[in-house]
Amino acid sequence: MASSSNYTKALTYENMNAKVRNVQYAVRGELAIKAEDLKAKLQQGDTSLAFKQIVNCNIGNPQQLQQKPITFFRQVLALIEYPDLLSEENLPLAQKLFPADVIQRAQDINQSLGGAVGAYSHSQGIRAIREHVAQFIAARDGYPSDPDSIYLTTGASGGVQQILQMLIANSQVGVMIPIPQYPLYTASLALYDGRPVPYYLDESNDWGMDTNELQQSLQKARDQGVDVRALVIINPGNPTGQCLTKENMMEVVEFCYQNQLMLLADEVYQTNTYFPQQLPFHSFKKILSSARPEVRDQVELVSFHSISKGVVGECGRRGGYFECVNLDPRVMEQVYKMASVALCPNVSGQILVDLMVKPPQEGDISYPLYQQEAQGIYESLKRRSQRLHEAFNSMENVSCNPAQGAMYLFPSVKLPTKAIIAAEAAGKKPDDFYCLRMLDATGVCVIPGSGFGQKDNTYHFRSTFLPPEQLFDDFIAKLQAFHSEFMDTYR
Ligand SMILES: Cc1ncc(COP(=O)(O)O)c(C=O)c1O
C-alpha cells in the first residue's frame, strides 16, 4: 500500500515511452526556451539585459512578428464565428460593416458547415472545402484532382505525422530525408521508431539536390538492411530555401519509380518563391502527372500544403491538407479510419484552407484590397530576404546562399578555433554556443544548424527574415555588431 512517504509517480522520466524522450525539436529547443525566459524577465521590468525585446527568428511565425492578417480572411471568419451577425435582424448591421462578397462567402461556408462552426465536421474535412482544394490544385497544375483523395489536416504537420505513422511498420523501415531538414521529420521518425535515411543537399550549389546523392544514400541504407519506403522532399526548402527545377523533379519521380519509394512532397512554401521567372514553383503532382504513363500511374505521392506560410501566415489556426495519388485503395481506407480516430481536423483551420485556395477573384468587391495586401506581404518578404542575405554575406567568415524560396536563410559561419574551444569548455556545441551568445547580446533568437543537420565540422544557423521591415535596420545592425565583437573576442 502506498503512503505519502513511499509514493512513486506512475509516470516518471525514467519509465516513460523512450521514443518520446528521444524526440528532439530544435525549433522550440534550448534557444527558444531561453528566449522565453528572457522575454518574461523583460516583461517583469528587468533592465539588466543588453536589449529591450526578444526577436523570435527561430520559427516561421509571421504574425508573431507583426504580419497583418489578410482582411478578407478575418472578415469571413468573424461572421462565421459570431453567426448572430448573419441573422435576419442583424443583417443590415453586418451589411454596414462588411462588404457584400464577405457576407456571401460567410453564408456559403456556413451552409457547408451546417451552420455549426463548433461542431465536429466530416473526418476527412468538409466536402465543399475539399472540392475547392481540388479545383485549386487542378487550376494550379492543369491536371485533375479528386476531392476524395484530399484530406484536410491540423496543419501540414498533422498530415505528415499521419502518413509517417502508417509507413513505419517496424523499426527497420527507413524514410529518406534531406539534410539539412525541417526537424518535424526526424522528430516524427524518432517517435514512430523509423530510421532516418539522410541525403545531403549541396551547399556549394545553392543547396541543390543531386540524384546521385539520393542513389548512394539509398544504396547504403538498403545494404545495411534498412527497408527504405519513402522519400521526403521539401520544396521550396526549409531551412535551405532552394527551389527545384522541373528537370530535377522529374529525375526524383523517376528515382522513386525505379526504387519503389513513396514520394512525400512537403510544399508548404509553394507561394514563397522569390525568383518566380527563373525558379517558379512546380508541384510534384504536376510533374508526376506529366511523367511517362508507367511512372505516372504507379508512383505513390502524398503532397502537403498549409495555411501557415505563403502570405496567409495563419499558423496558429492549424489548417492544411494533403492530396494522395496512386495509393493502394485499401491503404486509403486506413487513412480514413485514422482520420476518424482523430474525429476531425479543426474547423477554423479548414475554413482558412477554403479561403486560401479560393481567395477573392478579379471583379469581386474585396479583390483590390486582397490583392494589395497579398502582394504587399510577398514583396516585403522578398525585400527582407535580400537584405538579410546581403547582411550575412557582409559579415566576416559568414557565407550565405540566397533564399530562392521559403522564409529562412541558413548561413554558414567559420567559427575561430578559440570559439570552438570555448564552446567545448562550456559543454556546448560550437553552433549552439554562437547562437546563445547572439541571444544574450541582441535578443535575437535563431536556431543552431545542428538542429537541422549539417556536414561535420561546418556550422550554420537558421534565421527567418520575418522581423518587421521598419525594424530591419536595427535588427541587422545588432547582428553585425554582435558578430564582429564575437570574432574579435575569439580571433
Ligand atoms: C517544411 C515545413 N513543413 C511543415 C511545416 C509545418 O507546418 P504547419 O504549421 O502547417 O503544421 C513547416 C513549418 O514551419 C515547415 O517548415
Side-chain angles (χ1 to χ4, degrees):
M1 232 275 269
S3 71
S4 59
S5 59
N6 70 1
Y7 195 89
T8 51
K9 293 191 188 303
L11 177 62
T12 64
Y13 181 78
E14 288 72 30
N15 78 7
M16 73 182 291
N17 182 345
K19 291 173 204 132
V20 173
R21 225 172 27 214
N22 290 341
V23 167
Q24 292 188 6
Y25 195 65
V27 176
R28 292 191 182 260
E30 182 186 1
L31 263 290
I33 292 166
K34 182 162 183 199
E36 287 309 310
D37 289 348
L38 293 172
K39 203 179 276 182
K41 281 192 179 155
L42 287 171
Q43 273 162 3
Q44 286 153 13
D46 190 330
T47 51
S48 67
L49 304 176
F51 44 84
K52 293 202 176 61
Q53 63 171 355
I54 293 293
V55 184
N56 282 100
C57 292
N58 55 310
I59 185 164
N61 193 4
Q63 293 187 21
Q64 183 187 39
L65 289 157
Q66 299 175 27
Q67 181 173 302
K68 189 174 172 292
I70 302 268
T71 304
F72 178 80
F73 295 178
R74 291 303 182 90
Q75 287 174 324
V76 173
L77 281 176
L79 285 173
I80 294 173
E81 289 291 338
Y82 189 42
D84 279 358
L85 279 174
L86 291 175
S87 68
E88 222 176 297
E89 190 190 344
N90 289 328
L91 200 57
L93 174 63
Q95 282 161 340
K96 280 194 197 141
L97 292 171
F98 296 95
D101 58 347
V102 166
I103 294 175
Q104 184 60 52
R105 189 62 179 278
Q107 283 168 334
D108 292 347
I109 295 177
N110 249 338
Q111 199 176 4
S112 50
L113 289 171
V117 70
Y120 293 130
S121 74
H122 189 288
S123 297
Q124 190 167 352
I126 294 156
R127 171 87 201 177
I129 299 182
R130 284 186 283 121
E131 281 168 8
H132 293 160
V133 173
Q135 286 156 14
F136 159 81
I137 293 172
R140 183 193 66 190
D141 296 342
Y143 294 96
S145 166
D146 175 4
D148 289 335
S149 302
I150 291 165
Y151 276 74
L152 303 184
T153 54
T154 302
S157 310
V160 167
Q161 292 200 305
Q162 212 174 319
I163 299 296
L164 288 177
Q165 192 177 25
M166 303 208 11
L167 268 164
I168 300 169
N170 59 60
S171 58
Q172 281 312 301
V173 172
V175 175
M176 298 184 73
I177 55 168
I179 297 292
Q181 54 103 35
Y182 174 59
L184 166 66
Y185 292 95
T186 38
S188 307
L189 286 168
L191 187 59
Y192 305 135
D193 208 15
R195 303 267 288 262
V197 177
Y199 65 90
Y200 283 85
L201 302 173
D202 182 2
E203 184 165 17
S204 63
N205 186 22
D206 279 333
W207 294 113
M209 197 188 48
D210 176 5
T211 34
N212 292 328
E213 167 68 15
L214 290 182
Q215 192 63 58
Q216 281 167 19
S217 148
L218 175 67
Q219 199 54 51
K220 189 169 156 205
R222 286 193 168 158
D223 288 349
Q224 290 168 352
V226 180
D227 174 12
V228 186
R229 293 193 181 173
L231 166 65
V232 172
I233 306 264
I234 308 174
N235 180 45
N238 174 9
T240 41
Q242 81 287 3
C243 295
L244 299 179
T245 63
K246 253 191 206 165
E247 295 70 27
N248 206 190
M249 292 171 76
M250 189 58 94
E251 285 172 2
V252 169
V253 167
E254 285 282 344
F255 173 79
C256 289
Y257 177 69
Q258 299 301 341
N259 295 290
Q260 284 175 287
L261 294 172
M262 178 185 276
L263 178 55
L264 304 181
D266 183 330
E267 299 177 336
V268 303
Y269 295 103
Q270 60 187 264
T271 53
N272 299 103
T273 59
Y274 305 116
F275 300 91
Q277 305 301 326
Q278 303 95 312
L279 287 166
F281 170 75
H282 301 286
S283 73
F284 268 108
K285 168 73 181 305
K286 178 171 96 178
I287 302 298
L288 178 60
S289 304
S290 66
R292 59 198 169 96
E294 335 46 316
V295 176
R296 180 194 64 203
D297 298 339
Q298 295 298 346
V299 171
E300 297 142 275
L301 167 70
V302 184
S303 38
F304 303 90
H305 193 16
S306 168
I307 59 169
S308 297
K309 312 296 172 182
V311 297
V312 179
E314 295 275 8
C315 37
R317 296 193 186 263
R318 315 304 299 126
Y321 72 80
F322 61 79
E323 181 187 26
C324 303
V325 180
N326 292 333
L327 264 61
D328 178 338
R330 287 180 312 159
V331 169
M332 288 303 285
E333 284 169 15
Q334 299 299 312
V335 176
Y336 182 68
K337 181 180 79 184
M338 293 313 289
S340 315
V341 172
L343 298 168
C344 72
N346 99 60
V347 174
S348 306
Q350 295 189 51
I351 295 169
L352 266 153
V353 170
D354 192 65
L355 297 168
M356 172 177 78
V357 298
K358 197 171 177 264
Q361 299 301 305
E362 221 166 335
D364 293 348
I365 307 168
S366 295
Y367 180 75
L369 179 61
Y370 167 75
Q371 186 56 15
Q372 182 198 327
E373 290 177 340
Q375 196 62 24
I377 294 169
Y378 170 78
E379 295 293 346
S380 170
L381 282 171
K382 185 170 165 174
R383 277 194 300 272
R384 284 178 281 167
S385 89
Q386 288 167 351
R387 289 199 56 199
L388 192 58
H389 167 244
E390 278 162 25
F392 283 147
N393 277 323
S394 75
M395 295 178 189
E396 184 186 354
N397 282 9
V398 177
S399 71
C400 183
N401 285 322
Q404 296 169 349
M407 293 181 167
Y408 317 93
L409 289 164
F410 196 63
S412 135
V413 189
K414 285 206 179 76
L415 292 174
T417 312
K418 260 186 165 179
I420 296 174
I421 294 169
E424 269 166 25
K428 302 279 174 206
K429 291 181 191 151
D431 52 352
D432 286 3
F433 181 75
Y434 176 85
C435 295
L436 284 162
R437 284 294 162 99
M438 183 193 292
L439 177 60
D440 282 334
T442 63
V444 175
C445 180
V446 297
I447 310 183
S450 45
F452 305 92
Q454 56 197 348
K455 285 198 164 152
D456 288 346
N457 302 319
T458 67
Y459 304 109
H460 299 77
F461 63 89
R462 186 191 80 170
S463 176
T464 70
F465 39 82
L466 294 176
E469 218 160 358
Q470 68 274 19
L471 302 181
F472 231 67
D473 284 339
D474 184 49
F475 165 64
I476 285 177
K478 273 189 188 153
L479 291 181
Q480 284 171 326
F482 154 73
H483 183 77
S484 46
E485 212 175 302
F486 183 93
M487 295 305 280
D488 287 345
T489 309
Y490 295 104
R491 200 180 301 285

